[in-house]
Amino acid sequence: MVRLIVLGMLRIKPLSGYEIQRVLQTSQTDIWAGVLPGSIYHALKKMDKEGLVEVDNVEQTGHRIKAIYKITEKGEAEFIRLLKESIREKSVLLPSTLYAGMAFLHELPLADILQALKDQKDMLESELEQLKRGKELKEQYVNLDEIAKLQFENMFAHYQLQIDFIDKLTHQLKTMEGNQIKLTAEDFQKYFD
């Protein structure tokens, strides 16, 4: 993902790693894309060694020296390959860690489970708000086309779907409180028979 984004941005114009990082942070792209700031510099250095990008210019500001990278012909071909791959890749990722944990809910006190779910819901709501602010910020600088609007709409819906699931799960767990969430050894053995 980092390579695709960096190469795509360098197709527009030569940039430094810092400039790429700033654009991603300003537009909140770093949140939904999961791009860590350090990964940009690592990707640039690696792609430079692979001949996908090259230093176009070196600028010095005070004691700081920054390399401005541009995409190469080989990088253009790699960008197209990565772009096709990204569109072809499965786009629904299930919360498998949560699902795996749900299989063993009986091992934790209900209060711990409810707190963990609340923490996750708070995190998802915070990220959703950041994404919405990112969209608003982006709209201040560019006119979003219909594809970009669909993309934001889809991201918001994914977050809301997971928030709703956590609400339903929390409600279900609270109604089961008196019945305890217990899976006996005999119940577990049934899965292997």
Side-chain angles (χ1 to χ4, degrees):
M1 169 98 61
V2 175
R3 290 165 69 99
L4 175 65
I5 290 172
V6 169
L7 289 172
M9 291 178 72
L10 292 177
R11 288 183 85 225
I12 297 168
K13 73 179 212 172
L15 297 164
S16 70
Y18 177 76
E19 290 168 324
I20 293 170
Q21 180 184 339
R22 294 292 303 148
V23 169
L24 295 178
Q25 288 173 335
T26 302
S27 65
Q28 304 285 311
T29 303
D30 57 328
I31 295 170
W32 61 261
V35 176
L36 300 173
S39 64
I40 296 166
Y41 298 102
H42 177 72
L44 282 168
K45 287 178 182 175
K46 189 171 181 186
M47 289 189 295
D48 188 23
K49 286 180 184 173
E50 295 172 15
L52 304 175
V53 300
E54 63 188 18
V55 175
D56 183 48
N57 190 14
V58 177
E59 295 178 0
Q60 185 167 355
T61 310
H63 296 295
R64 292 189 58 124
I65 296 174
K66 68 177 179 180
I68 309 297
Y69 290 91
K70 69 178 183 178
I71 193 168
T72 64
E73 202 172 302
K74 186 176 176 184
E76 291 277 352
E78 177 68 358
F79 170 78
I80 296 299
R81 187 191 72 73
L82 290 170
L83 180 58
K84 288 177 183 177
E85 185 179 290
S86 73
I87 295 168
R88 194 177 296 124
E89 191 175 297
K90 180 177 93 167
S91 62
V92 174
L93 302 175
L94 298 175
S96 54
T97 304
L98 175 62
Y99 290 170
M102 288 174 63
F104 301 100
L105 287 178
H106 61 280
E107 298 293 337
L108 289 174
L110 182 61
D112 289 354
I113 297 167
L114 295 176
Q115 184 61 53
L117 289 172
K118 181 189 179 311
D119 293 346
Q120 184 183 163
K121 180 181 173 186
D122 291 347
M123 177 192 60
L124 291 172
E125 287 175 337
S126 173
E127 288 179 7
L128 177 57
E129 286 309 308
Q130 287 178 13
L131 285 170
K132 287 179 178 179
R133 282 194 304 274
K135 178 185 180 234
E136 291 168 5
L137 255 169
K138 197 167 191 170
E139 288 175 320
Q140 290 176 8
Y141 298 101
V142 295
N143 204 4
L144 295 181
D145 62 23
E146 292 307 310
I147 301 288
K149 288 177 185 175
L150 274 174
Q151 182 181 359
F152 277 111
E153 182 182 311
N154 191 48
M155 283 190 290
F156 299 160
H158 275 271
Y159 270 87
Q160 194 59 55
L161 184 66
Q162 194 61 19
I163 290 166
D164 293 345
F165 173 72
I166 290 171
D167 282 341
K168 290 175 186 174
L169 178 58
T170 299
H171 175 75
Q172 185 66 42
L173 289 168
K174 286 179 179 177
T175 61
M176 295 171 61
E177 186 175 0
N179 301 331
Q180 280 299 359
I181 312 162
K182 278 291 182 198
L183 181 66
T184 65
E186 294 81 33
D187 292 331
F188 194 73
Q189 188 60 39
K190 288 177 189 175
Y191 289 111
F192 298 103
D193 288 338

